[in-house]
Amino acid sequence: MSRIVLLIAVAIAFSGCLKKREEGLVTIRMKSNWAGESLVIGDVYTNNDGNPIMVEQFKAYLTDIAIVDENGAEFPISDVFLADFSESNGVSATVPASKYTKLRFSVGVPAEINTNTDPATYPSSSPLSVSGSEGMFWTWNSGYIFVKFEGKTAFTPDASNLTEPYAFHVGSDAFYTTHEYAIDFEIGEEDETLNILFDANKFLNGTDDVINLQQDNLTHTMDNMMLANRFVALFNESISVRK
Amino acid sequence: MRWGCVIALFVLLGCNKSEWRPEDRTYNAEVPVGFPPLSIPDDNALTDFRVLLGKQLFFDTRISGDGTVSCGSCHKPEFAFADNQAVSPGVEGRIGFRNAPSLANVGYQEKLFMDGGVPTLELQVLAPFDNHAEMDLSITKAIEMMRNDEHINALAQFAYGREMDAFVFTRSIAAFERTLLSGNSPYDRFLRGDSSALSPDAIAGMELFFGQRMACGSCHTGFLLTDQSYSNIGLYEEYADVGLQRVTTLPSDNGKFKVPSLRNVALTAPYMHDDSRMLLQQVIEHYNSGGKNHPVKDERIRPLLMSMEEKMQLLAFLEGLTDIGFTENQAFQPE
């Protein structure tokens, strides 16, 4: 027993001499852009078709956010985070000092939570609770909305008259997707911040597909599964991660 | 009277709160003869306080955007907790999407809504708040308003041992709804041996209803007079409301709606998911005609070639499903 105490005392004294941190803080920020500039909810941008467009709401559930170190060990950052891009979003966690190589997260809510869930069973502080998920839970076909992207556009270049609504509400277990990004960083002397970027312009304008809002502007997933599929594919393509 | 007793108990228990447990005072649900036991979720056993709180909330109009609409505004006790209006008006008289269904025996429903999109009564409580044409009030605000009501909040403590919150709100309303049991119609009394409970016409109508030729009873079966399946009955060649397909996306579910319980059906006009039939006679005419062509129409819907007398007999039977004791039950009326 006394040997253990002695060893601990030596170890503490030793680490004190080196002043090397054994852990540090990782912050994950979620940001949204419109073609390179920060997306501001309510501001008017120009869509690729030349028409004005405004985003009124952009929210997404990000779950099982974790980082992976060079030995493949995973360190959780957050179980469930509801990113609301009308404000700044971020989540932090203390992790061991190490070299890290990957950021992993999922868009949506895992099936075991999404199926037969009841938001009223979560404490109000949870993003899955009735108040935490307000507007992000389908009450007519029980389940969480994974991504909500909606606003107004115009079918002419006149930016003073945005009256045409669009709304993409996607959910259902089939759209739960896991993303993994290679990114090297070290937690040691310094903390680190990683940014998950969502380029909202690419939600509509991808390399292989373009959503023409004059024709395709509304999906609640089950009522327009084809458009939901297209939106999710574009959305997933739009995500990038950087320091 | 009942309320007065509970207040007295409430005050009494207030003196001795430490001995009180939310599960105390089990509610004695009067399950009708011939009905199976109610299936009650583990976290929402029926107690007097839970049912009482749920009833208070059910009839409280404060929980709507303009303070005029309660659950009971569309689910009216006198119409077996259905509405007599074609698609009920909600806040500011806005017209909803579908007819308000009867809540009689709703505790036995496997899934809620005509397309079965909601799995529990507790979850269903959230739905009208989301809807611009119904409550049109944030559920969070509704709950906060109720929490700020001292009386309601105190009742929540006795019912669930916690402050009014989303859990208490959804559980208590569901608890009250589970007590809405109806099983004492003339048809029930006839089944229990009172041969005079149904008229000879109604008895003939009952035999037609369950007979092979009409086979109404092949879907409208069991103690609820529904097998809780979903069926396309050939109401339209093209459905504006796609029904079950809205939930499953399957074209084979187009125009399918849940087979409703026919208990108290004479009170729940208008009929069909979209209230397109004002009278029961029109419903009978629809089935007699065999309906319109549709690729997924139930094959049991076919021309029945009913005589005038048979139609009258069938109507007499359907009227024999009305449980006046249910609509007049004081326990289910607003205080």
Side-chain angles (χ1 to χ4, degrees):
Chain A
M1 182 67 186
S2 59
R3 275 181 68 183
I4 295 171
V5 172
L6 184 67
L7 274 171
I8 291 171
V10 169
I12 291 170
F14 200 63
S15 66
C17 293
L18 291 175
K19 289 186 180 170
K20 194 167 183 178
R21 298 199 311 169
E22 290 182 347
E23 55 187 26
L25 198 68
V26 172
T27 300
I28 313 291
R29 291 218 172 97
M30 299 83 180
K31 292 181 172 175
S32 187
N33 287 350
W34 182 273
E37 55 180 307
S38 289
L39 178 82
V40 178
I41 299 296
D43 276 10
V44 179
Y45 299 89
T46 304
N47 200 357
N48 294 21
D49 59 9
N51 294 332
I53 184 167
M54 173 176 64
V55 181
E56 292 177 324
Q57 239 193 117
F58 172 27
K59 292 184 182 179
Y61 273 105
L62 301 181
T63 51
D64 296 324
I65 305 172
I67 54 174
V68 181
D69 75 7
E70 58 185 354
N71 301 316
E74 186 171 304
F75 296 89
I77 307 293
S78 167
D79 291 341
V80 182
F81 188 82
L82 176 57
D84 176 353
F85 293 92
S86 67
E87 53 198 42
S88 59
N89 296 287
V91 60
S92 297
T94 302
V95 295
S98 183
K99 286 182 178 170
Y100 292 88
T101 57
K102 287 174 189 164
L103 171 64
R104 190 181 286 165
F105 59 88
S106 299
V107 174
V109 172
E112 62 268 24
I113 297 176
N114 198 36
T115 305
N116 289 331
T117 193
D118 185 341
T121 58
Y122 291 94
S124 59
S125 56
S126 166
L128 297 171
S129 69
V130 168
S131 55
S133 70
E134 194 156 3
M136 293 296 280
F137 185 81
W138 278 308
T139 55
W140 55 273
N141 185 18
S142 301
Y144 289 93
I145 300 173
F146 295 175
V147 179
K148 183 184 259 192
F149 181 69
E150 61 183 37
K152 291 200 176 69
T153 184
F155 297 152
T156 70
D158 179 6
S160 66
N161 196 21
L162 275 70
T163 55
E164 305 291 342
Y166 65 89
F168 299 88
H169 297 182
V170 296
S172 88
D173 295 344
F175 289 132
Y176 177 77
T177 50
T178 298
H179 302 254
E180 187 176 278
Y181 294 85
I183 186 161
D184 291 328
F185 62 99
E186 187 170 350
I187 298 292
E189 295 309 300
E190 308 252 329
D191 294 337
E192 185 63 89
T193 297
L194 305 178
N195 297 292
I196 305 174
L197 290 175
F198 300 85
D199 188 341
N201 176 275
K202 290 185 180 168
F203 300 170
L204 305 172
N205 306 286
T207 45
D208 300 325
D209 189 18
V210 172
I211 293 177
N212 177 353
L213 291 178
Q214 293 198 42
Q215 291 163 4
D216 298 311
N217 49 41
L218 183 64
T219 178
H220 301 93
T221 303
M222 301 310 256
D223 62 354
N224 192 344
M225 188 58 93
M226 193 179 288
L227 186 57
N229 263 309
R230 290 173 61 198
F231 179 82
V232 168
L234 287 162
F235 182 87
N236 287 337
E237 261 182 49
S238 82
I239 304 171
S240 60
V241 168
R242 61 191 66 163
K243 288 187 200 173
Chain B
M1 179 63 189
R2 183 182 167 85
W3 184 218
C5 294
V6 175
I7 290 273
L9 180 70
F10 186 72
V11 172
L12 193 67
L13 289 164
C15 304
N16 205 357
K17 218 171 175 177
S18 59
E19 290 175 21
W20 176 254
R21 290 177 306 138
E23 296 76 23
D24 289 348
R25 281 188 63 91
T26 301
Y27 179 91
N28 182 28
E30 290 172 16
V31 175
V33 175
F35 280 31
L38 272 167
S39 174
I40 311 273
D42 290 344
D43 65 4
N44 203 16
L46 292 184
T47 69
D48 284 348
F49 281 112
R50 290 173 180 181
V51 172
L52 179 69
L53 174 60
K55 181 176 163 183
Q56 296 273 303
L57 297 174
F58 187 91
F59 289 110
D60 198 323
T61 58
R62 289 176 296 171
I63 53 175
S64 60
D66 64 359
T68 63
V69 178
S70 72
C71 309
S73 301
C74 300
H75 297 285
K76 297 171 181 160
E78 63 270 35
F79 299 111
F81 285 82
D83 201 355
N84 58 330
Q85 297 205 34
V87 187
S88 309
V91 158
E92 294 181 357
R94 290 179 203 135
I95 300 302
F97 172 46
R98 291 176 184 157
N99 178 224
S102 168
L103 299 186
N105 307 311
V106 72
Y108 290 101
Q109 291 288 334
E110 291 159 6
K111 289 188 170 181
L112 284 303
F113 288 176
M114 293 178 191
D115 51 25
V118 177
T120 67
L121 263 183
E122 280 78 3
L123 268 175
Q124 187 281 328
V125 172
L126 300 174
F129 293 90
D130 223 14
N131 194 324
H132 185 57
E134 295 183 30
M135 294 307 199
D136 194 31
L137 178 70
S138 146
I139 180 76
T140 310
K141 281 187 189 160
I143 292 166
E144 190 184 327
M145 193 187 300
M146 291 298 103
R147 188 164 49 237
N148 290 336
D149 180 315
E150 262 180 49
H151 162 75
I152 294 276
N153 206 29
L155 207 45
Q157 286 286 359
F158 278 94
Y160 292 94
R162 57 202 275 178
E163 286 213 311
M164 169 57 69
D165 61 6
F167 185 89
V168 173
F169 192 85
T170 55
R171 265 67 192 161
S172 59
I173 292 177
F176 170 62
E177 290 175 338
R178 281 196 183 92
T179 69
L180 301 175
L181 296 165
S182 169
N184 194 26
S185 65
Y187 166 66
D188 295 295
R189 294 198 291 277
F190 181 83
L191 290 183
R192 294 200 293 265
D194 178 359
S195 57
S196 67
L198 288 177
S199 68
D201 274 350
I203 294 169
M206 179 179 70
E207 284 163 0
L208 286 168
F209 185 92
F210 291 110
Q212 277 199 340
R213 186 178 133 227
M214 297 199 184
C216 313
S218 69
C219 292
H220 294 287
T221 183
F223 70 102
L224 291 181
L225 294 159
T226 170
D227 61 4
Q228 305 209 37
S229 64
Y230 300 82
S231 183
N232 179 317
I233 57 166
L235 211 52
Y236 301 104
E237 289 178 356
E238 282 188 36
Y239 279 79
D241 180 348
V242 298
L244 184 61
Q245 189 184 13
R246 186 171 85 131
V247 169
T248 65
T249 76
L250 299 172
S252 57
D253 287 334
N254 182 265
K256 288 187 180 175
F257 293 87
K258 184 158 61 176
V259 174
S261 169
L262 295 191
R263 289 191 167 277
N264 303 297
V265 70
L267 299 176
T268 64
Y271 302 103
M272 306 303 189
H273 70 276
D274 57 355
D275 300 319
S276 55
R277 304 293 187 276
M278 296 306 292
L279 303 169
L280 268 180
Q281 288 89 331
Q282 293 171 300
V283 176
I284 292 171
E285 284 301 339
H286 167 75
Y287 285 105
N288 189 41
S289 75
K292 296 204 167 66
N293 290 327
H294 191 285
V296 299
K297 185 173 83 171
D298 193 311
E299 60 189 16
R300 288 168 290 189
I301 309 294
R302 60 188 193 286
L304 295 172
L305 308 173
M306 295 167 74
S307 68
M308 279 302 291
E309 188 184 19
E310 286 174 328
K311 291 176 194 172
M312 281 184 55
Q313 290 168 337
L314 200 54
L315 182 64
F317 171 63
L318 294 174
E319 287 172 342
L321 299 174
T322 301
D323 176 3
I324 295 298
F326 173 66
T327 59
E328 294 179 352
N329 189 335
Q330 282 308 304
F332 304 150
Q333 308 296 321
E335 299 287 337

